[in-house]
Amino acid sequence: MSGAEAFIDPDRAQFEAFKDLPRDTPIEMLNLVRFNDLADYPGDHTLARDGLTGAQAYARYGKQSGPVLARVGGSILWRGGFDTVLIGPADEAWDAMFIARYPDAGAFLAMVTDPEYQRAVVHRQAAVKTSRLIRCAPAQGGTAFG
């Protein structure tokens, strides 16, 4: 991802657009994450000089945020490993890909504002080189694309 813009946290406009959508329907969040080679903690963080990889920092984020995800009724619906891009930018590769399901958007908002989650998110911010977080409305599966 040479020269690509980093997307780590939502900007204000994106977060407001998310909050403006209905909050009382189930949602699924597609997560695509590329890690830093080395975690980039703030200089005053206790792990700043430990030399953790981005993957190690993201694992800490997962371990600490997982109980909050479960507490709000969320779960990981799907997780997969990246192979190659068939359609799209050839330099977009992802280290983590998963879909998180929430009972509703309110549950997602409760998670990201939870104090325990707020303590965990520093690991995500240190781990991530760039990411995509895409809100999806659940739909019925089937055997056809359309």
Side-chain angles (χ1 to χ4, degrees):
M1 296 192 127
S2 57
E5 183 177 352
F7 296 95
I8 299 169
D9 294 311
D11 65 28
R12 180 165 298 283
Q14 290 171 320
F15 196 62
E16 291 302 320
F18 176 91
K19 292 190 316 183
D20 287 344
L21 292 172
R23 295 188 188 189
D24 59 352
T25 59
I27 64 168
E28 294 171 354
M29 300 290 279
L30 171 62
N31 290 254
L32 304 172
V33 184
R34 175 105 187 239
F35 301 140
N36 287 315
D37 291 335
L38 291 176
D40 186 19
Y41 284 98
D44 61 346
H45 193 277
T46 57
L47 297 174
R49 292 172 197 23
D50 284 7
L52 294 177
T53 66
Q56 289 170 319
Y58 201 80
R60 285 175 182 253
Y61 163 70
K63 183 177 181 180
Q64 291 180 13
S65 64
V68 183
L69 173 68
R71 189 167 53 249
V72 301
S75 63
I76 302 302
L77 174 67
W78 172 88
R79 182 182 320 271
F82 178 83
D83 283 335
T84 191
V85 173
L86 185 60
I87 299 174
D91 64 345
E92 270 195 6
W94 305 105
D95 296 309
M97 303 182 330
F98 59 95
I99 298 172
R101 175 178 282 164
Y102 300 88
D104 53 46
F108 176 83
L109 292 169
M111 181 186 74
V112 299
T113 58
D114 182 282
E116 186 176 343
Y117 180 87
Q118 290 293 312
R119 286 188 295 277
V121 81
V122 68
H123 301 296
R124 183 187 187 284
Q125 291 165 333
V128 173
K129 181 174 188 172
T130 193
S131 64
R132 308 292 183 268
L133 183 57
I134 302 165
R135 177 178 164 163
C136 305
Q140 186 65 36
T143 59
F145 293 116

